[in-house]
Amino acid sequence: MQGGSNGIGYSLKYQARCIADVKADTDHTSFLTGTLSLKEENEVHLIRISSTGTELICEGLFSHPNEIWDLASCPFDQRIFSTVFSSGETYGAAIWQIPELYGQLNSPQLERIASLDAHSSKIKCTLWWPTGRHDKLVSIDEQNLFLWSFDTSKKNAQVQSQESAGVLHSLSGGAWDPHDYNALALTSESSVQLWDLRTMKKTNSIDHPHVRNLDYNVKRKYMLVTAEDESGIHIWDLRMLKFPVLDLPGHTHWTWTVKCNPEYEDLILSAGTDSAVNLWLASPPSGDKPTSESFDSPKSVDPLLNSYTDYEDSVYGLAWSCREPWIFASLSYDGRVVVESTKPHLPRK
């Protein structure tokens, strides 16, 4: 099914790539997004869905010193978030805090409460502990993985451990396993690497090139979803990595990002450079003990619930709402945010 957008929109002043759900905001459905302007002063927008659900309201607009390439919201404090940023050839990462009285200030300023400044290679992303109040977060650059301890009261972050992925691997991103807090999956040019944070060592890998993005299925243990440049979307069972258990067609151009729904099992969003967002309901084979025979030929299906095509540029940012898990926000490169409800497309039970 294809169609335009019935969602509600919001426009940023500049180009943008990243948007995040504010998980810690339990009173509102809200998102953070940041701009990517080379010449102008960049901005972080805190936007919320109105009480009527008919418009997006800017609750806070904050200046940010550099181009924002990654943005992640703290899972336990709605005023804290992290960014990866660049100014020309230099990349950095920091943790920021929104001022408490920002709604009453004329020009509220973000407070930089910690700098993740141990990196010597190009930083790609930061990952917060998956849920609840915890002092750990991870940062990833092209060659290294860092585990940080973050103290909100002292407003500093210390490197707890670090490890190199090796000069032959160029890391590009990752995801934290919501079922095993000691496990991470990292993307690189030639493979997906699985790491154990206790030993800071790689435990396994999926030899699959050009993986752009990945996400864990929050409702199914062992399930990992990957988005790839040209070959679409693959769903993997981490207990049997020889073949994916399910293939989805993906997009007509590069599939850039995938996001698993935080509440609805097997509901997946994907976005790409074909200026579309696809909504999938993809159920991999079930069973407690997978066998190699069952995965020798991955099942290829097309469980496309809807394709949102009312975009004029590539879509790089996707975020499900944890508060209202049938709602998602998308961000196209031209700075357009669209919030949609998937309820009309969900199967009736």
Side-chain angles (χ1 to χ4, degrees), residues 51-335:
S51 57
T52 59
T54 57
E55 61 179 327
L56 288 173
I57 300 170
C58 179
E59 287 288 327
L61 175 59
F62 314 99
S63 62
H64 186 282
N66 305 104
E67 301 172 73
I68 302 171
W69 288 87
D70 177 73
L71 186 152
S73 181
C74 174
F76 58 82
D77 189 324
Q78 63 181 339
R79 294 193 299 119
I80 294 177
F81 64 95
S82 59
T83 61
V84 171
F85 49 85
S86 74
S87 55
E89 297 297 318
T90 305
Y91 276 74
I95 300 172
W96 307 86
Q97 182 167 289
I98 296 171
E100 192 168 5
L101 300 176
Y102 65 88
Q104 304 171 28
L105 302 175
N106 292 326
S107 54
Q109 296 294 313
L110 295 173
E111 180 185 0
R112 188 191 298 230
I113 55 176
S115 292
L116 308 180
D117 53 8
H119 292 267
S120 56
S121 298
K122 182 178 177 181
I123 308 174
K124 308 302 288 188
C125 72
T126 57
L127 305 173
W128 290 87
W129 187 269
T131 185
R133 180 173 288 276
H134 204 282
D135 66 343
K136 298 295 187 294
L137 73 156
V138 159
S139 59
I140 300 165
D141 66 33
E142 288 184 323
Q143 296 184 356
N144 304 282
L145 171 69
F146 287 79
L147 177 65
W148 298 80
S149 178
F150 172 53
D151 190 323
T152 53
S153 60
K154 295 181 180 178
K155 297 184 178 181
N156 67 6
Q158 301 291 331
V159 175
Q160 183 171 318
S161 54
Q162 72 176 93
E163 187 57 58
S164 170
V167 294
L168 299 179
H169 301 283
S170 181
L171 300 178
S172 56
W176 208 317
D177 190 340
H179 306 283
D180 180 357
Y181 296 161
N182 294 308
L184 292 179
L186 308 181
T187 55
S188 72
E189 287 182 347
S190 59
S191 66
V192 173
Q193 300 183 14
L194 305 179
W195 283 68
D196 188 324
L197 287 175
R198 292 167 296 187
T199 61
M200 292 296 284
K201 299 295 182 184
K202 185 175 74 172
T203 59
N204 214 331
S205 64
I206 304 171
D207 294 326
H208 227 61
H210 310 302
V211 174
R212 283 281 176 187
N213 189 244
L214 48 74
D215 197 19
Y216 286 93
N217 187 325
V218 181
K219 307 304 288 184
R220 280 185 189 258
K221 196 175 181 181
Y222 306 117
M223 292 296 163
L224 183 70
V225 183
T226 59
E228 298 170 28
D229 280 357
E230 299 175 357
S231 56
I233 300 164
H234 299 298
I235 301 177
W236 305 84
D237 188 310
L238 297 179
R239 299 165 294 180
M240 189 69 66
L241 297 176
K242 186 177 180 182
F243 297 106
V245 297
L246 201 63
D247 292 337
L248 304 179
H251 291 253
T252 57
H253 201 246
W254 288 356
T255 304
W256 194 270
T257 184
V258 286
K259 295 293 180 185
C260 296
N261 189 276
E263 189 61 37
Y264 296 106
E265 189 171 83
D266 303 326
L267 195 64
I268 299 170
L269 279 174
S270 65
T273 52
D274 59 352
S275 305
V277 173
N278 288 343
L279 176 69
W280 312 87
L281 186 65
S283 300
S286 58
D288 294 332
K289 295 182 179 180
T291 63
S292 58
E293 288 78 10
S294 63
F295 294 162
D296 276 347
S297 54
K299 183 181 177 184
S300 184
V301 295
D302 188 10
L304 183 64
L305 296 181
N306 192 52
S307 186
Y308 304 87
T309 57
D310 191 21
Y311 300 91
E312 297 180 359
D313 210 336
S314 299
V315 182
Y316 292 122
L318 284 177
W320 285 107
S321 166
C322 286
R323 182 174 175 269
E324 296 182 286
W326 58 90
I327 287 176
F328 73 89
S330 59
L331 174 65
S332 50
Y333 188 59
D334 55 7

Side-chain angles (χ1 to χ4, degrees), residues 3-19:
S5 170
N6 293 316
I8 49 180
Y10 178 91
S11 294
L12 308 179
K13 191 186 297 186
Y14 309 119
Q15 295 172 328
R17 300 177 73 99
C18 47
I19 190 166

